[in-house]
Amino acid sequence: YNTMILNCVYNCEYCYLQGMFNSGNIVVFVNIEDFFRETKKLLVDNPVYLCISYETDLLAFEEIVPYASAWIEFARVNPNLIIEIRTKSNQYKLIRNLKPTDNTILAWTISPEEVIKKYESKTPTLNQRLRDIESALSDGWKVRICIDPILHIKNWKEIYSNFIEKTFSSISFDKIWDISIGTFRINADYLKKMKKFRSDS
């Protein structure tokens, strides 16, 4: 993965970034040409799979720094490169003018509305994300669904069952590239730091 931006606007309560950095300040690296140059060096010897939205939500920043669209265009002319842009945003409209590329995966992280309201309160609603997912699928993008993290909350089986049913009745399931699922997991040192900063959690 690479890191164009440090930290995230969404501040999800369970996010490992809170244990990773000592500050919640957003840091944007402006030397994108250097990132492209280094990626090209890697591509000389091998194909590369690159997650470009790992320590932030790149699409959430697209209106301020249009890095997602820049990487999509970079991937378009570098067919040995596959990029994944992971997001919880509803900002697909900002890249909708771009022609889909086979080597770009748009990966939406989704959660039940109960989880969003309690632990992801600054993020778009599930319905907003599902609308963006359906738009991207209709436009021909490779879309990954990320159900991550699954949280062990009260009535979790019922909540997640209803969420799965709602999700896959709202989008074109047959067009989805793939689905990833993960439970809550975190480095012990990060968790210790998070407990100190999020004593209300």
Side-chain angles (χ1 to χ4, degrees), residues 7-198:
N7 277 318
C8 181
V9 291
Y10 290 139
N11 196 30
C12 297
E13 195 167 321
Y14 53 74
C15 183
Y16 69 91
L17 293 178
Q18 296 164 98
M20 196 170 184
F21 302 123
N22 292 322
S23 163
N25 292 330
I26 304 294
V27 178
V28 179
F29 295 101
V30 296
N31 57 328
I32 191 169
E33 294 82 9
D34 294 329
F35 283 81
F36 289 159
R37 192 178 307 112
E38 291 302 313
T39 305
K40 279 184 176 179
K41 286 181 188 176
L42 293 174
L43 289 167
V44 169
D45 297 320
N46 296 293
V48 174
Y49 186 101
L50 190 61
C51 298
I52 64 167
S53 193
Y54 194 68
E55 291 177 357
T56 191
D57 190 317
L58 215 54
L59 200 53
F61 285 99
E62 185 69 6
E63 207 159 12
I64 302 164
V65 279
Y67 284 167
S69 52
W71 275 100
I72 290 168
E73 294 304 337
F74 179 75
R76 192 185 307 282
V77 295
N78 289 280
N80 283 346
L81 172 68
I82 296 174
I83 59 169
E84 181 201 80
I85 304 173
R86 189 171 291 209
T87 187
K88 289 180 182 174
S89 79
N90 62 333
Q91 296 299 311
Y92 172 65
K93 63 190 176 198
L94 299 175
I95 60 168
R96 195 168 190 184
N97 61 313
L98 302 178
K99 184 181 175 184
T101 64
D102 281 342
N103 55 340
T104 296
I105 300 169
L106 303 180
W108 267 274
T109 299
I110 57 173
S111 299
E113 197 59 50
E114 293 89 338
V115 170
I116 292 170
K117 283 178 181 172
K118 190 166 184 182
Y119 302 111
E120 304 176 7
S121 61
K122 294 180 182 176
T123 67
T125 65
L126 176 59
N127 283 336
Q128 288 173 314
R129 294 184 225 181
L130 292 176
R131 280 195 293 270
D132 265 22
I133 290 168
E134 183 57 30
S135 294
L137 289 169
S138 298
D139 291 343
W141 290 91
K142 286 182 177 174
V143 173
R144 170 172 291 144
I145 301 292
C146 306
I147 302 171
D148 187 5
I150 295 174
L151 298 178
H152 190 237
I153 55 177
K154 188 177 179 183
N155 300 323
W156 71 272
K157 285 185 180 179
E158 181 186 352
I159 287 169
Y160 278 92
S161 293
N162 293 338
F163 156 69
I164 294 292
E165 190 174 321
K166 174 185 174 63
T167 294
F168 296 111
S169 63
S170 302
I171 59 177
S172 303
F173 179 74
D174 57 322
K175 293 181 180 177
I176 292 170
W177 181 250
D178 62 16
I179 300 167
S180 72
I181 299 172
T183 56
F184 177 74
R185 69 271 183 207
I186 198 160
N187 172 297
D189 291 334
Y190 291 179
L191 185 60
K192 187 177 177 182
K193 208 185 243 187
M194 286 169 67
K195 282 180 175 179
K196 180 181 174 184
F197 292 132
R198 298 297 293 254

